[in-house]
Amino acid sequence: MSTTHTIVVNRQSHQVTVDHYETPLLYVLRDDLRLKGTRFGCGNGSCGSCTVLVDGHAQRSCELPMWSVEGKSITTVEGLGTLDRLHPLQRAFIDFQAGQCGYCLSGIIMTAAELIGSGGEPSREKIVAALDANLCRCGAHTRIVKAIEAAWKASATGVVR
Amino acid sequence: MNPAKLPWSVEENPRLSQWVDFSEPGIARVFSAKVELGQGIVTAIAQIAAAELRLPMSKVVVVSGDTRSCPNESYTAGSMSIEVGGTSMRMACAEARRAIVERAAIMLNADQSSIAAEGGLILLDGAPSKLDYWNVAREIDWQLPISGRAPFAALANSTSLGKSIARLDLPAKVTGASFIHDFELPGMLHGRVLRPPSYGARLESLDTSAVKNLPGVVKIWRSGDFVGVCCDHEYQAVKALEGIGAGARWSESEVSADSRGWRELLPTLRSIDSETEAGERPTTLKNLRQLSATYSRPPIAHASMAPSCAVAVYDQQGLTVWTHSQGVFPLRGALANALGIDESHVAVIHKQGAGVYGHNAADDVALDAALLARQVPSRPVRIQWTREDELAWSPLGSPMVIKIEGTISPTGDIVDWSSQIWSGPHGQRPRPHGPVNLLAAAHLDPPIPFPEAYEVMSRFAGGARNSEPAYDLPHRKIVLHSLPGLPFRTSALRTLGGYANVFATESFMDELADAAGVDPVEFRLRYLSDPRARRVIETAVKLAGWPLNGERGKGRAAGIGFARYKNSAAYVAVIVNVEVDRDVRVSKVFAAVDAGLVINPDGVVNQIEGGIVQSVSWTLKEQVLFDGRRVTTRTWDQYPILRFDEVPELAVELIERPDSRPLGVGEAAQGPAAAAVANAVARALDVRVRDLPITRERIVAAGTAQ
Ligand code: FES
Ligand code: FES
């Protein structure tokens, strides 16, 4: 039975109708709203590729049925920054060339966005802990951690380029 | 310096028009069949073209992996993209620039020596003339063959060559859509394919009555043991596949009842044997000591972060397929064969996917998409595999067993070396002609079964890759037992047999050094006359600053591994520090690399870093499990890979060799890294683990056996 839901995505309100009430947010983002920066990797919450912010918290969109995000505010990688207005995290990933194939990056960046948005002292341990459930198969991990650290330090000191 | 011989890609595609095009003013379009796999090749090709054409990179557009316009360079694989594809592009662009200068001289009625082609402009005696590249290009016959003799640009003068230019594809990947998974065509349907529950399973009956009425279901198609579904939206296809799976009744059978470990099992299987031998056994030495050790690796999954995906459409023009395959031309031939249509009616176009690390399901899903697209003419169909199918049904890196015997003299000199390798085939990629080799083809009615495949000892035999130690040994003999009858599909995984062979030979070098009572670094250097090999080892030792001969059995130690990939590509020496508590933790990795001429230094470092991390993951954690019927490691929980908190610190040093030819690096670090880990663990625990992966259970087992 189809159901209709209202969600706010990247500060824009959308009404979407889905055929299956448990349709995960991931498919609505990609298929209905055509925000394809959020990626499918496993569909069961174990890789982190599909991470988005829901009311500021990093969550796995492949495991969020539409009914559970009713009225919530969602940020995807497209909402974080764009090619001509990069978010400090996106900027740092490019500066550090932090990635190879890049498939894991949007999920990792969204996980990091919650972390650096939460304030607190930047630290590598906290970054590694936050990325606990994100996988990268290319082995770009060390650069990814360095990029997040740099972006976090820049935003903590207010030096955001 | 230009190489003496034309690279394969130029021999096969000799005309300039196959490589460069100036028909759009202000832009140089260059064509390459080498495709982006996350290794940065498209950026490197752009750097090369910009340098040789003396154009800013912003004026160079790389068209890659399109059978409609690119030269047929077969696969992007084997760390050959820069060596062959890059060198070919260099020759083509150098030739193009020379042609422009020659033609400009005629048009300006001037001497060639007074003409320069720079930044798109034609300079006459250093001052801009009325001509630019594009109006000169119109007067050139681009059917000209590439001679290979147009001089290359000097590295020192280039603003792109040898520079750490940022990857061209990265900005899009951190801001939004950029993969084949994100590609959408008007009216596109989303599909899924049902895979059998196990190898050899037959579909007895299929009830789709419940699925037919689900929202959005446009087409369900069965042929033999193959069932696919197409829907308007992607999640509808997910649900439809669930329903189809519930309505399918399969009969399964055991394909291999043997539950022994690979080490015991592989040498008992039917094999096709071949060998190579070189040198003479010294006959006069006395009191020789023989050592023997057997090593093994399990099957390993490519485990791409993205399940494989393809889009296909069948219309009046024929079949068009968008794919993340490593070889658009071979795939075109294989698709045409599988579908029984003429190759001229098939176009295959590359779109970036996630890293594949070899022959994964990229080609298989292209056939899935083509088969279903044929059922819904004129509608594009996008197929994506599930995570479970990606881990279970992609070709696997073959399990291997390697037995090495060595003889040393009383003074610790190696006088003889022989090894035997048992391995499944590593090269079962689809071919443009001949057997089809695509998963769905084997499930159709009538089926096109996989051909029996095996390897014969040569420099192309994947199982024998790097089995010849890079050391100066008086006599060596290597036997390859190629196993055609493994119960599952094996094919190219990054390094092919190189990973296991280097793990084995370099472990054995340490075992010999221990037996001879010699420091492992010193022991290796004794047998290395190649100065480039010596230099990487010495550089790694300096970088690591860690005594290799520290006390044994203290739970922490360093270890070394060295190889020249394929005995012809980059030289890499790796030293790792490990700490072993309950599990092995690799804390630091130091690597020294000689990759010859480097087009993009940061790109090379990035590739080496990734290769090391992936190898540490393979070495400590990864094994595909098979229960006699099916692969049982189908999720990330069942097939864990290295996580952020397990990744070591990395230090990589490049040894610059601007005057030598470029050497491939994408697969150069994996073998040395694995060996370094194994050697460090052996030192830390005083227990030698010879069966990968080096897990807690394996350490306990090795300790008990010792
Ligand atoms: S796709 Fe959501 S966690 Fe993997
Ligand atoms: S960069 Fe390829 S998976 Fe992370």
Side-chain angles (χ1 to χ4, degrees):
Chain A
M1 197 199 61
S2 69
T3 53
T4 298
H5 307 268
T6 305
I7 50 174
V8 178
V9 181
N10 301 334
R11 291 174 291 279
Q12 254 199 329
S13 178
H14 296 272
Q15 247 195 13
V16 286
T17 301
V18 294
D19 317 297
H20 301 277
Y21 72 101
E22 84 281 17
T23 302
L25 172 63
L26 173 65
Y27 294 91
V28 168
L29 292 174
R30 292 182 56 87
D31 216 14
D32 295 85
L33 307 184
R34 301 211 151 64
L35 295 169
K36 304 204 182 207
T38 306
R39 313 194 190 289
F40 178 92
C42 66
N44 69 3
S46 57
C47 75
S49 304
C50 64
T51 307
V52 296
L53 297 183
V54 180
D55 289 342
H57 297 295
Q59 299 213 11
R60 313 282 181 233
S61 65
C62 72
E63 283 202 307
L64 291 177
M66 282 309 289
W67 55 260
S68 76
V69 290
E70 182 68 52
K72 302 232 159 127
S73 172
I74 288 136
T75 310
T76 70
V77 76
E78 291 92 346
L80 206 61
T82 54
L83 280 179
D84 43 9
R85 289 193 56 146
L86 292 169
H87 182 274
L89 275 166
Q90 293 164 321
R91 170 87 265 158
F93 273 68
I94 295 169
D95 287 347
F96 283 79
Q97 293 289 291
Q100 284 182 28
C101 77
Y103 198 85
C104 64
L105 296 182
S106 54
I108 287 174
I109 287 173
M110 297 318 290
T111 307
E114 179 186 10
L115 181 68
I116 75 171
S118 68
E121 275 295 299
S123 90
R124 258 183 211 206
E125 292 68 46
K126 283 189 225 167
I127 296 169
V128 167
L131 295 178
D132 188 41
N134 286 85
L135 300 178
C136 170
R137 181 54 161 166
C138 292
H141 306 71
T142 49
R143 286 173 184 242
I144 288 170
V145 172
K146 282 182 197 158
I148 296 172
E149 194 182 21
W152 197 358
K153 281 191 176 145
S155 60
T157 52
V159 196
V160 173
R161 279 173 299 166
Chain B
M1 223 178 51
N2 296 47
K5 195 171 162 297
L6 289 180
W8 182 86
S9 289
V10 172
E11 268 176 2
E12 292 293 310
N13 307 275
R15 284 173 289 114
L16 264 178
S17 59
Q18 293 176 288
W19 298 86
V20 279
D21 169 60
F22 288 91
S23 58
E24 187 181 333
I27 294 292
R29 211 169 247 107
V30 300
F31 304 97
S32 169
K34 301 298 176 186
V35 296
E36 187 61 54
L37 307 167
Q39 83 287 40
I41 187 67
V42 167
T43 306
I45 294 282
Q47 287 178 253
I48 288 168
E52 293 302 339
L53 295 169
R54 312 260 170 102
L55 282 173
M57 285 186 61
S58 58
K59 290 194 192 291
V60 174
V61 174
V62 181
V63 179
S64 95
D66 189 330
T67 57
R68 298 167 307 177
S69 54
C70 293
N72 184 346
E73 298 186 80
S74 192
Y75 281 106
T76 304
S79 299
M80 298 301 284
S81 303
I82 295 285
E83 280 189 55
V84 176
T87 305
S88 300
M89 184 58 75
R90 234 185 143 185
M91 275 184 184
C93 291
E95 196 90 33
R97 187 173 162 279
R98 185 165 79 170
I100 289 172
V101 169
E102 283 174 7
R103 175 54 55 175
I106 295 170
M107 290 167 79
L108 293 172
N109 203 3
D111 195 70
Q112 267 183 46
S113 59
S114 58
I115 303 282
E118 282 292 342
L121 298 176
I122 305 299
L123 308 180
L124 177 60
D125 295 323
S129 69
K130 58 183 196 301
L131 297 178
D132 62 23
Y133 288 18
W134 291 272
N135 44 40
V136 177
R138 277 202 298 272
E139 308 293 321
I140 292 174
D141 174 13
W142 292 101
Q143 298 309 311
L144 220 69
I146 298 168
S147 69
R149 285 190 296 274
F152 285 172
L155 196 59
N157 303 336
S158 176
T159 52
S160 62
L161 215 57
K163 302 283 182 300
S164 291
I165 303 284
R167 285 267 298 276
L168 302 173
D169 52 326
L170 201 55
K173 290 173 173 177
V174 297
T175 49
S178 42
F179 294 95
I180 183 163
H181 304 76
D182 313 331
F183 178 56
E184 188 170 338
L185 290 167
M188 187 173 83
L189 298 172
H190 291 269
R192 289 289 185 274
V193 171
L194 181 70
R195 294 289 170 218
S198 57
Y199 283 87
R202 305 303 313 265
L203 184 54
E204 295 295 338
S205 68
L206 181 70
D207 175 5
T208 57
S209 51
V211 180
K212 281 203 182 93
N213 300 322
L214 286 178
V217 174
V218 174
K219 182 86 197 173
I220 300 170
W221 185 66
R222 172 184 177 184
S223 169
D225 302 321
F226 177 97
V227 191
V229 59
C230 296
C231 301
D232 289 321
H233 291 283
E234 190 168 11
Y235 194 65
Q236 293 168 338
V238 173
K239 296 302 286 181
L241 180 68
E242 261 175 44
I244 291 172
R249 281 198 32 249
W250 298 87
S251 64
E252 297 185 65
S253 53
E254 206 101 303
V255 278
S256 158
D258 210 312
S259 62
R260 283 179 290 181
W262 303 113
R263 157 191 282 273
E264 294 77 28
L265 178 64
L266 294 192
T268 67
L269 299 178
R270 177 171 68 92
S271 69
I272 288 146
D273 301 340
S274 54
E275 60 180 58
T276 169
E277 191 169 359
E280 297 284 338
R281 281 191 190 90
T283 48
T284 52
L285 295 167
K286 295 240 161 48
N287 296 324
L288 298 178
R289 229 172 115 196
Q290 275 226 331
L291 261 79
S292 157
T294 301
Y295 306 88
S296 75
R297 65 159 267 196
I300 296 176
H302 297 78
S304 175
M305 278 302 289
S308 293
C309 180
V311 176
V313 62
Y314 234 97
D315 53 21
Q316 297 92 317
Q317 277 106 60
L319 171 69
T320 308
V321 176
W322 290 265
T323 171
H324 57 106
S325 165
Q326 288 180 258
V328 288
F329 286 97
L331 177 59
R332 180 179 64 176
L335 288 173
N337 273 349
L339 298 164
I341 55 177
D342 195 88
E343 199 177 78
S344 61
H345 294 138
V346 183
V348 179
I349 303 163
H350 181 261
K351 287 241 163 233
Q352 293 191 33
V356 289
Y357 327 107
H359 175 199
N360 79 336
D363 300 286
D364 294 326
V365 73
L367 177 58
D368 294 343
L371 286 169
L372 288 168
R374 187 148 72 166
Q375 300 304 316
V376 285
S378 298
R379 295 206 63 179
V381 175
R382 173 191 185 275
I383 306 287
Q384 182 180 295
W385 278 26
T386 62
R387 164 55 47 201
E388 292 74 13
D389 287 345
E390 184 72 24
L391 282 170
W393 281 103
S394 292
L396 304 172
S398 178
M400 289 172 70
V401 171
I402 300 144
K403 179 176 184 195
I404 309 183
E405 288 169 308
T407 311
I408 52 174
S409 74
T411 50
D413 291 321
I414 307 175
V415 297
D416 196 8
W417 178 291
S418 69
S419 64
Q420 297 188 71
I421 303 157
W422 288 266
S423 174
H426 294 260
Q428 298 206 70
R429 291 182 188 271
R431 265 156 242 162
H433 311 289
V436 167
N437 245 352
L438 292 167
L439 182 62
H443 296 151
L444 294 175
D445 180 21
I448 313 175
F450 291 128
E452 183 173 282
Y454 59 88
E455 295 175 342
V456 176
M457 183 67 88
S458 79
R459 69 191 186 86
F460 301 108
R465 184 164 287 181
N466 276 103
S467 58
E468 291 228 18
Y471 303 102
D472 314 324
L473 304 170
H475 175 258
R476 68 186 73 185
K477 178 176 170 180
I478 293 151
V479 181
L480 175 63
H481 306 281
S482 187
L483 311 172
L486 287 180
F488 41 74
R489 197 162 54 131
T490 61
S491 193
L493 171 69
R494 229 171 164 189
T495 79
L496 312 188
Y499 164 74
N501 282 321
V502 173
F503 156 69
T505 51
E506 285 291 286
S507 292
F508 196 64
M509 279 301 277
D510 260 37
E511 298 203 44
L512 288 175
D514 287 351
V518 182
D519 171 89
V521 168
E522 194 196 315
F523 193 69
R524 283 174 173 75
L525 291 176
R526 271 192 198 177
Y527 301 100
L528 282 173
S529 52
D530 181 346
R532 294 174 74 170
R534 298 179 67 89
R535 174 92 183 270
V536 289
I537 291 187
E538 286 157 357
T539 306
V541 166
K542 213 179 288 164
L543 199 60
W546 183 278
L548 279 171
N549 249 350
E551 232 182 307
R552 281 168 191 279
K554 292 286 181 212
R556 28 169 76 220
I560 187 167
F562 157 79
R564 180 177 192 194
Y565 182 54
K566 296 195 282 189
N567 295 8
S568 64
Y571 300 80
V572 177
V574 173
I575 293 178
V576 306
N577 294 348
V578 301
E579 291 157 24
V580 192
D581 184 358
R582 279 169 62 77
D583 293 296
V584 178
R585 183 181 169 76
V586 179
S587 53
K588 281 194 182 139
V589 180
F590 307 88
V593 181
D594 175 351
L597 166 73
V598 168
I599 307 297
N600 187 324
D602 186 61
V604 166
V605 170
N606 204 344
Q607 279 288 291
I608 293 287
E609 289 173 354
I612 290 170
V613 172
Q614 195 169 69
S615 175
V616 171
S617 181
W618 292 349
T619 304
L620 296 183
K621 307 188 77 145
E622 298 186 30
Q623 55 182 326
V624 170
L625 299 176
F626 186 78
D627 71 358
R629 289 184 176 190
R630 65 172 73 76
V631 169
T632 57
T633 39
R634 306 171 88 98
T635 64
W636 288 119
D637 292 334
Q638 294 159 344
Y639 192 85
I641 61 172
L642 209 68
R643 307 184 81 88
F644 270 88
D645 62 351
E646 299 167 317
V647 168
E649 274 179 50
L650 304 171
V652 177
E653 188 164 320
L654 283 188
I655 294 163
E656 290 186 33
R657 303 261 181 203
D659 297 326
S660 77
R661 70 189 169 93
L663 303 175
V665 295
E667 302 164 282
Q670 285 84 337
V677 171
N679 287 334
V681 169
R683 200 159 285 274
L685 297 178
D686 214 5
V687 170
R688 172 68 59 179
V689 182
R690 300 190 183 91
D691 300 305
L692 297 176
I694 307 176
T695 56
R696 196 183 310 165
E697 298 74 44
R698 287 278 158 73
I699 292 172
V700 172
T704 319
Q706 190 156 307

